[in-house]
Amino acid sequence: MARKIVLLGATGSIGVSTLDLFEASGAQVDILALTAGRNVALLAQQALRWRPRVAVIADEDRLPELRQRLEGSGVRAAGGAQAVIEAAAMGADWVMAAIVGVAGLAPTLAAARSGAVVALANKESLVCAGPALLATAKQAGGTVIPVDSEHSAIFQVLDPANAAQVSRLILTASGGPFLNWNKAQMARATPAQAVAHPNWNMGAKISIDSATMMNKGLELIEAAYLFDTPPGKIEVLVHPQSIVHSMVEYADGSTLAQMGLPDMRSPIAYAFSWPARMAWPAPPLDLAVVGALTFHAPDDDRFPAIDLARAAISLGSGGPAALNAANEAAVAAFLDRRIGFLDIAPACEETLDVMDRSGALTAGDGDPIEAALAIDAQARAVTARVVGALKAPLEART
Ligand code: NAD
Ligand code: MG
């Protein structure tokens, strides 16, 4: 029987890869909803191909255009943030959560509340409200399956029967496009250079996060929540070939790794077919062609974001939400060329400092989602001030 599917963030890199996988594998799917942020043209094209019950555009101003493009197709058009949340809660068996940023939190939570299997790409929702999101899924009788390649790798080799014997989780990192750049070069890096990832073809925000290695910082927090592991037992290892997607080290001296080509359709396939495996025409991994797999420790001086993530966790339950918000705001400022590439991490650090001093990062008794969103808003305001103050030095530099 066809599985009922909702795709949140259908027009993004992960959304497109998910539909690609359905196409390539001939999976039996009944798509209830496809949602997008602003890309009406692609959303309409996908809706005409996949015939969901509803296509939702988050940007309400674009709803008339969506309606027009879907006229006579039998696919209902809807618009606005609330309509995205309603789509998430339509009663799907499987929801792909692939909206980028904290904008994905409410829809992802709604999917978890519906009891669906949530395939989680939207790492920011887990970073901001991990424990609440995981508890919600559990209470509803659903589950969260990681799509992020590193977490999928760990999920595939982490043996729950031997959880007590896990000594370390080892997250691999490609190192991004600036792996071998010096600080002077990084200071002048343009958004186009930062988005050009050597191994993975991804959305702009996560590509910048890979270049700063904030992506690995967010992934460290993601792993801590998903696998209920203290951050001190999670390490990062740079592996420029992106073939070993992550590893689990056991106390008996065995380290288990999961390997594959850098192709998100593989972790998406596992999240779709879990607990079984599915066949699709996956490009085979030929290690003789890859030749060498290399590994080294990250350079914390050029890439301070991993340490910032560790610091954020230690500041209290609101620390990760504040770091995530600061990073989203700083990345947006960098993409707009309002700050330089090397200003991103210091802007995050200063935001964390200000938020910590204000006492906002330790948990109150209220609703954890409301609390995360309140911290998100406060942190963005702080980052906006920090970024505003950075403007002059940047103009002086260029
Ligand atoms: P993307 O920018 O390519 O796509 C984002 C999707 O979210 C688009 O469909 C966009 O229309 C939608 N969207 C944006 N803002 C929205 C809003 N306010 N409301 C509703 N929808 C909105 O990003 P991506 O690369 O596909 O990444 C999606 C998520 O998956 C991110 O959290 C990212 O960290 C994670 N992820 C991506 C990859 C990858 O290879 N691309 C790998 C691991 C994890
Ligand atoms: Mg990843």
Side-chain angles (χ1 to χ4, degrees), residues 9-15 35-39 58 84 98-101 103 121-124 148-149 200-204 206 215 264:
T11 56
S13 162
I14 293 287
T35 83
R38 301 163 65 85
N39 191 344
V84 175
I99 294 172
V100 62
N122 177 223
K123 67 189 81 187
E124 296 91 345
D148 215 347
S149 56
W200 298 95
N201 186 3
M202 309 181 286
I206 182 177
N215 184 48
M264 287 307 293

Side-chain angles (χ1 to χ4, degrees), residues 123 147-151 172 200 202 206 210 215-216 219 222 245 264:
K123 67 189 81 187
V147 168
D148 215 347
S149 56
E150 297 75 2
H151 306 75
T172 54
W200 298 95
M202 309 181 286
I206 182 177
S210 299
N215 184 48
K216 218 47 57 177
E219 289 183 356
E222 187 185 4
H245 295 308
M264 287 307 293

Side-chain angles (χ1 to χ4, degrees), residues 45-64:
Q45 191 188 319
Q46 292 175 330
L48 294 174
R49 158 69 184 85
W50 291 93
R51 303 283 162 165
R53 314 267 200 289
V54 61
V56 185
I57 192 81
D59 179 355
E60 226 163 346
D61 293 346
R62 297 176 188 225
L63 178 57

